Amino acid sequence: MIITATNRIYVFVVLMLLVCFTGCLPKQSQFSTPAGFAVYPHDDAVKTLKAVSPDGVVFRIKTEPNEPKADLSFWKEALKKRMLNVGYVFVRESDIRAGTNPGYLLELAAPVGAKDYAYLIVVFIDPEDNLIIVESAGEVMRFAARRNDIISAIQKIL
Amino acid sequence: MKYRRIIKSLAIWLTALSIIGSAWAAQTVTGSVFSASMLVKVTDPERTADLLVEKAAAMGGYFVLRDNNYIKVKIPSAAMEDFHNLAADQGLLLSRELNSEDVNTSLVQKKALLKSKTAIKDQYITVLKEAKAESVVMVENEITGLVHEIEILKGEIRMIEHRLAFSEVVIRFSFKDRSAPTAQGPSSFPWLNNVQLSDLLRVFQYDHHRY
């Protein structure tokens, strides 16, 4: 194949478009979702990613401004206090990492209608100083079966 | 009148005896009643309940109450921890609560009271043997009253001793209180107001309708 100057220009333009396209993707595209979950088309304006499993376990990642500006230990305490005051049952808590970013994982439970639900919340502060909030919930036993996949996905979101 | 004086002096003497007895008993009797309540999520509550009732019996315990989402068992206190762990291993432990109640003082007091009332009753019986016809009815009434009080005390002591020997474990397979968590007021931090299970599920229900 003869590579002409025109072809080089075409290749260059295509490559530039690819680079531009990749760089301009909304931030949510880098978020991973748990294995076996279907992702909803996301709305870039609201910076939210949603996914659901066939058995109804839901997964959502959203971004909120870190306001008032505070560090992770502050949000850790505020989140736990708020959720327990509201009436959720504490199940467990732990530190979690997504890449090099430290986060806080809080697991709760609550009744929803006739079923009991597990409710997992994770908060990270991303390098741009936004709060990344991950929520996942489902009927307790269904959620338990998918918990490891959910945690694995969360560890890859940043 | 002579009998009344004897009875009064007996009562004073025995009260002193019961105080000494209480102090002695406090040093020798110790005990706490333990109880546990846990919420365990399992795939098959009926089968898990069957298994736990069977294990409780094998450990020397018995079940007190049972329905579809709840069992209450009595377990020998020495085996309580093993049973508790066994129940937690049947599924996902969502919450647990352990309580202990010190019944030492109550048990000591009741035992001392029983001792003193028994001693008084014995003294009355001695008095009865020597009593004149006009005093017999009065002494018999006193003895009857004391026997009644002694039987009540014995029952209460047996009850406390049973509670010491058998711990109560309540296992629920779903939340007793079915009301959803609700915020009493907004948080000072706006994003926290949007972290709610009901809101999360509502968003997905809305999306299900769209697709």
Side-chain angles (χ1 to χ4, degrees):
Chain A
M1 186 181 167
I2 300 164
I3 301 173
T4 63
T6 315
N7 283 346
R8 281 199 194 106
I9 290 168
Y10 285 147
V11 169
F12 178 75
V13 168
V14 168
L15 283 173
M16 287 307 291
L17 280 171
L18 273 172
V19 168
C20 179
F21 180 68
T22 312
C24 297
L25 278 175
K27 279 178 186 287
Q28 292 88 330
S29 300
Q30 64 188 283
F31 290 154
S32 64
T33 50
F37 279 58
V39 182
Y40 285 90
H42 49 268
D43 182 347
D44 298 343
V46 293
K47 294 185 175 179
T48 300
L49 180 139
K50 295 191 293 266
V52 66
S53 73
D55 54 358
V57 176
V58 299
F59 181 86
R60 177 170 72 173
I61 306 174
K62 60 182 181 176
T63 307
E64 296 275 357
N66 183 5
E67 289 172 359
K69 189 173 165 55
D71 61 12
L72 187 65
S73 62
F74 177 91
W75 291 125
K76 193 188 281 194
E77 192 180 332
L79 175 66
K80 185 177 176 184
K81 193 173 175 187
R82 168 74 178 175
M83 301 315 281
L84 298 190
N85 282 348
V86 164
Y88 290 93
V89 171
F90 174 83
V91 177
R92 61 171 84 90
E93 64 184 335
S94 66
D95 291 328
I96 187 170
R97 276 187 178 274
T100 55
N101 287 71
Y104 171 62
L105 183 154
L106 178 63
E107 287 184 67
L108 307 162
V112 175
K115 292 179 179 172
D116 294 337
Y117 268 60
Y119 185 27
L120 174 148
I121 307 161
V122 178
V123 61
F124 291 105
I125 300 175
D126 76 5
E128 284 88 43
D129 205 24
N130 292 307
L131 292 175
I132 307 290
I133 297 137
V134 186
E135 294 166 277
S136 187
E139 190 280 323
V140 169
M141 297 311 286
R142 290 176 179 174
F143 181 88
R146 295 185 177 276
R147 184 177 176 274
N148 288 346
D149 289 338
I150 292 165
I151 304 271
S152 296
I154 293 170
Q155 287 168 329
K156 293 173 193 153
I157 65 169
L158 285 171
Chain B
M1 292 304 284
K2 182 187 166 193
Y3 289 111
R4 286 189 191 280
R5 276 203 303 274
I6 293 171
I7 290 164
K8 270 188 182 177
S9 66
L10 266 176
I12 293 166
W13 181 77
L14 289 166
T15 305
L17 190 70
S18 72
I19 291 167
I20 295 165
S22 299
W24 173 79
Q27 288 177 336
T28 55
V29 181
T30 56
S32 289
V33 171
F34 293 100
S35 62
S37 169
M38 51 207 296
L39 173 59
V40 184
K41 290 305 294 183
V42 296
T43 45
D44 188 345
E46 190 71 20
R47 209 180 64 182
T48 308
D50 286 344
L51 176 81
L52 291 174
V53 167
E54 191 183 303
K55 294 283 181 188
M59 288 174 170
Y62 58 96
F63 87 89
V64 181
L65 281 173
R66 178 179 172 174
D67 72 13
N68 291 342
N69 284 308
Y70 169 94
I71 62 166
K72 184 194 275 188
V73 292
K74 291 273 191 180
I75 297 292
S77 296
M80 188 194 173
E81 197 178 339
D82 289 343
F83 184 80
H84 192 265
N85 292 338
L86 177 82
D89 288 345
Q90 299 309 308
L92 192 65
L93 179 66
L94 288 188
S95 69
R96 73 171 122 195
E97 197 179 305
L98 294 167
N99 295 305
S100 81
E101 181 194 347
D102 186 357
V103 291
N104 203 21
T105 310
S106 171
L107 187 61
V108 164
Q109 282 173 349
K110 286 183 193 304
K111 281 187 171 176
L113 203 54
L114 175 66
K115 199 173 174 181
S116 65
K117 284 193 184 291
T118 306
I120 293 172
K121 186 196 78 178
D122 293 344
Q123 289 297 325
Y124 269 120
I125 289 168
T126 309
V127 168
L128 184 65
K129 285 172 189 167
E130 298 160 6
K132 289 181 181 171
E134 65 268 22
S135 310
V136 167
V137 175
M138 187 188 80
V139 176
E140 274 182 349
N141 284 344
E142 292 291 336
I143 292 172
T144 307
L146 279 167
V147 168
H148 179 67
E149 287 174 32
I150 286 168
E151 287 309 311
I152 289 173
L153 276 170
K154 280 182 178 172
E156 288 172 349
I157 289 168
R158 274 199 298 273
M159 179 72 85
I160 294 174
E161 285 174 340
H162 183 267
R163 288 179 68 209
L164 279 169
F166 287 85
S167 299
E168 187 176 279
V169 183
V170 172
I171 299 157
R172 293 187 183 282
F173 301 117
S174 63
F175 282 107
K176 184 183 178 188
D177 179 5
R178 306 299 309 168
S179 53
T182 46
Q184 296 300 309
S187 166
S188 317
F189 313 116
W191 71 269
L192 280 179
N193 292 316
N194 300 322
V195 180
Q196 282 295 336
L197 178 58
S198 53
D199 292 348
L200 177 69
L201 298 177
R202 200 175 302 122
V203 166
F204 278 87
Q205 277 167 359
Y206 171 72
D207 277 342
H208 278 307
H209 290 305
R210 281 176 62 198
Y211 295 104

